[in-house]
């Protein structure tokens, strides 16, 4: 029965489906990811053996002492890194925020020189946050050596770029009248900030900084994969020695650490309501920064801040290489990166949807608890850690990257999907059940239309994110353009590395622009 | 008997809603359910379509006791019971064609139901059902592009398409203007008569009930106050039914479905 349907949306839907299939088909070849392997019995045999190797978690005293030490280092690196980021971001925000511009607050004519300076500072911040923090870590390991110092610098630089932008935006979102009144009575830029804008913006600034601190801890935990110390370094070693018991102890400790920081950050947000709470946060921050400095300083080489050597190292990246062979292979790397991100996101959509339905409590309390636990595990372990594990499970190459992206993103999406399911109105489905529809049909006609658009929007957003992540997975051997960057830096080919970093920046810029354009078109 | 309630009672969230309801409707019979807000009319209909389960008493629908049936047989029974809801339970982004087609999900395999989401089938019959509520031209639109009254009529088109043997209708005309309201009640009574289906409809408007239904059931505070042929209903009974509406049960404002809240 292939009579032409009268459905006016049919052509568009067919087109969209064919486009997705056309995009998806080559990704299997490009990444070497074979989904049918997952269905074969011997694969599962190997994997179950792999997972069984993780049990029981290692727990001898020496190892645990080392884990504790490195956990503190991870925490200290994140804290120290965020302090550096704030030291970069706050002055940058003060200098660039439009909320403090006299020209915007009063009729004072803008100074062309100042505007140019602000524009270039904003451009610098874009570059700082455009390079992923793990790439910064890789560069700093080459520049200042192994240890926690490169982790601190990497977080400081990358997050400095982010904080500079977000702090400025937070200042801009406050009511302008107090600052305007001060500007009209001749107060300078800093006075306007301290007396008018800061008191309004403080809770938001603190709350965002605490959130970034949580992110910094996750980032700091994976930086050990490139030699930048902390718990990640132990995971890397244990993985290379195929010591599953140690890896599972480390993953557990990491998940506990993340839970702990989430609790601390909740506490901070609650403390923001009172003056005593804010004073408490200030004291605790000071203590944490000083304490982490003392803890980390002993491990840093005394000549680490040799500025001339750093300058020399930076100089080696210029001019970026641009021979045809490199450009071709960079192009292939980008294609592989895109393929990994697309396939990983599509598979994560499927996995997230399959887990979200039980996680929303549709198959009883038991399965709800189990699927939530699984989602939390998938989401809690950072993508780079999944990539390191996936490399062990399926070998070096982009297939591991696809697997890692799928696992982590399925955890993220599954939780969001479950939330939309719980928020959807139950009446349509109940009405269909009352009219004799089966469980699944009633779901497809009563619930799915309420949530599907939201699910697709979430997935597109995560795909954008996954493209950025896929560029760095190669650092742990999971394919994409990161593989080439890691290789180039290992061979001291700084000029090649410069080209690859520029390619990464261009890719992330292109994706951001494209998604902004698409979003605007979808909204209109 | 299409519908048989024997001393049925119901509590929701611990508070009693219906007490000792005994009621029967013969095959093909038509009755209107009237009474003030909070009388339990909707709850009674939701018992009759098996959305709610009674706490006491027994009930039979189309000759079967739904709550002693195995789940397969319950499904089979349910496909012969159609309900028009006061707020039509339609997902906002769903297209009208699918919203109406959903009326026959009980007669389809899962595979057919899913295939139909991608490639609508039987559109002629769906369009015919929509034409009877004057919405044939809205077949391909999304439900959230329709007005409240139009959505209510899509809900009616769905049961027309379902063609059930027991038709339960909960206040079908609340979002319609008086002329359209009369037309709609006439449509539903004609439909039930022509197919020999049994019809139980709750109505706020006593005039419509008197004009279209040979039998009136008056409910108040969870009890049946009278159950009489229309000629036997007295003016005094009606004013007693609606007397001092508020003191005992404050009219429960029906919680608006999420997509019906004003933005």
């Amino acid at each position: 029965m292939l009579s032409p349907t009268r459905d006016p949306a049919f052509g568009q839907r067919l087109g969209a489906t064919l486009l997705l299939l056309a995009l998806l088909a080559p990704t299997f070849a490009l990444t070497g990811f074979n989904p049918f392997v997952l269905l074969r019995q011997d694969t599962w045999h190997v994997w179950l053996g792999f997972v069984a190797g993780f049990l029981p978690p290692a727990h001898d005293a020496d190892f645990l002492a080392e884990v504790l030490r490195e956990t503190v280092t991870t925490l200290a690196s994140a804290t120290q890194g965020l302090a550096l980021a704030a030291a970069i971001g706050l002055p940058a925000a003060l200098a660039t925020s439009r909320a403090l511009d006299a020209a915007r607050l009063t009729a004072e004519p803008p100074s062309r020189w100042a505007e140019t300076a602000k524009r270039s500072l904003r451009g610098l911040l874009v570059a700082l946050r455009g390079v992923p923090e793990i790439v910064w870590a890789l560069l700093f390991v080459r520049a200042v050596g192994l240890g926690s110092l490169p982790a601190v610098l990497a977080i400081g630089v990358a997050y400095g770029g982010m904080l500079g932008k977000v702090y400025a935006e937070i200042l801009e979102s406050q009511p302008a009248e107090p600052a305007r009144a001060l500007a009209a009575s001749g107060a300078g830029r800093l006075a306007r900030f301290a007396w008018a804008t800061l008191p309004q913006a403080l809770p938001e600034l603190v709350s965002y900084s605490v959130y970034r601190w949580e992110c910094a801890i996750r980032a700091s935990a994976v930086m050990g994969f490139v030699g930048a110390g902390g718990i990640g370094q132990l995971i890397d070693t244990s993985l290379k020695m195929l010591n599953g018991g140690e890896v599972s102890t480390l993953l557990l400790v990491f998940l506990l650490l993340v839970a702990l920081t989430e609790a601390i950050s909740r506490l901070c947000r609650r403390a923001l309501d009172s003056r005593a709470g804010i004073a408490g946060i200030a004291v605790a921050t000071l203590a944490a920064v000083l304490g982490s400095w003392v803890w980390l300083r002993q491990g840093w080489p005394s000549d680490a801040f040799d500025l001339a050597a750093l300058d020399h190292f930076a100089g080696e990246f210029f001019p970026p290489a641009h021979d045809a062979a490199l450009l071709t292979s960079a192009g292939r790397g980008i294609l592989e990166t895109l393929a990994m991100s697309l396939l990983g996101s599509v598979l994560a959509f499927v996995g997230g949807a399959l887990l979200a339905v039980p996680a929303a409590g549709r198959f009883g309390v038991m399965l709800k608890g189990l699927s939530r636990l699984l989602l939390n595990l998938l989401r809690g372990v950072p993508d780079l850690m999944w990539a390191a594990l996936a490399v062990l499970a399926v070998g070096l190459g982009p297939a591991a990257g696809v697997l890692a992206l799928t696992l982590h993103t399925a955890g993220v999406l599954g939780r969001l999907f479950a939330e939309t399911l719980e928020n959807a109105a139950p009446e349509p489905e109940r009405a269909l059940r009352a009219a004799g529809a089966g469980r699944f049909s009633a779901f497809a006609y009563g619930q799915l239309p309420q949530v599907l658009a939201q699910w697709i929007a979430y997935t597109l957003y995560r795909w954008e994110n996954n493209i950025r992540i896929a560029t760095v997975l190669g650092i742990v051997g999971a394919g994409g353009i990161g593989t080439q960057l890691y290789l180039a830096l290992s061979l001291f080919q700084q000029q090649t590395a410069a080209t690859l970093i520029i390619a990464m920046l261009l890719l992330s810029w292109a994706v951001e622009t494209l998604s902004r354009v698409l979003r605007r078109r979808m909204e209109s | 008997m299409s519908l048989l309630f024997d001393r049925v009672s119901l509590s929701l969230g611990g508070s009693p809603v219906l007490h000792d309801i005994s009621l029967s409707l013969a095959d093909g019979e038509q009755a209107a359910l009237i009474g003030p807000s909070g009388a339990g009319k909707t709850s009674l209909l939701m018992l009759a379509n098996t959305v709610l389960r009674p706490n006491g008493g027994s009930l039979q629908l189309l000759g079967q006791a739904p709550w002693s049936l195995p789940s397969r047989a319950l499904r089979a029974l349910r496909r012969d019971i159609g309900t028009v809801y006061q707020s039509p339970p339609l997902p906002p982004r769903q297209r009208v064609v699918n919203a109406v087609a959903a009326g026959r999900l009980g007669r389809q395999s899962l595979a057919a139901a899913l295939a139909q989401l991608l490639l609508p089938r039987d559109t002629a019959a769906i369009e015919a059902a929509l034409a009877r509520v004057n919405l044939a031209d809205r077949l391909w639109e999304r439900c959230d592009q329709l007005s409240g009254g139009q959505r209510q009529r899509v809900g009616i088109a769905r049961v027309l398409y379902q063609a059930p043997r027991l038709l339960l209708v909960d206040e079908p005309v609340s979002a319609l203007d008086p002329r359209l309201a009369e037309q709609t009640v006439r449509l539903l009574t004609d439909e039930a008569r022509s197919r020999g289906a049994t019809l139980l409809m709750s109505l706020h408007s006593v005039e419509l009930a008197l004009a279209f239904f040979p039998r009136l059931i008056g409910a108040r505070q969870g009890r049946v106050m009278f159950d009489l042929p229309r000629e036997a209903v007295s003016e005094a009974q009606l004013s007693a039914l609606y007397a001092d509406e508020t003191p005992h049960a404050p009219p429960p404002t029906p919680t608006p479905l999420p997509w019906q809240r004003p933005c």
Side-chain angles (χ1 to χ4, degrees), chain A residues 58-68 234 238 245-247 249-250:
Chain A
H59 52 272
D60 58 292
D62 285 352
F63 179 64
L64 288 183
E66 199 181 3
V67 171
L68 183 64
L234 290 184
S238 301
E246 286 184 9
V247 174
T249 301
L250 288 161

Side-chain angles (χ1 to χ4, degrees), chain A residues 484-507:
Chain A
Q484 298 171 42
L485 179 67
Y486 191 69
L487 195 68
L489 283 172
S490 302
L491 299 174
F492 300 99
Q493 298 170 336
Q494 267 78 325
Q495 293 176 337
T496 306
T499 309
L500 293 167
I501 291 174
I502 292 172
M504 281 183 180
L505 279 175
L506 284 178
L507 178 64

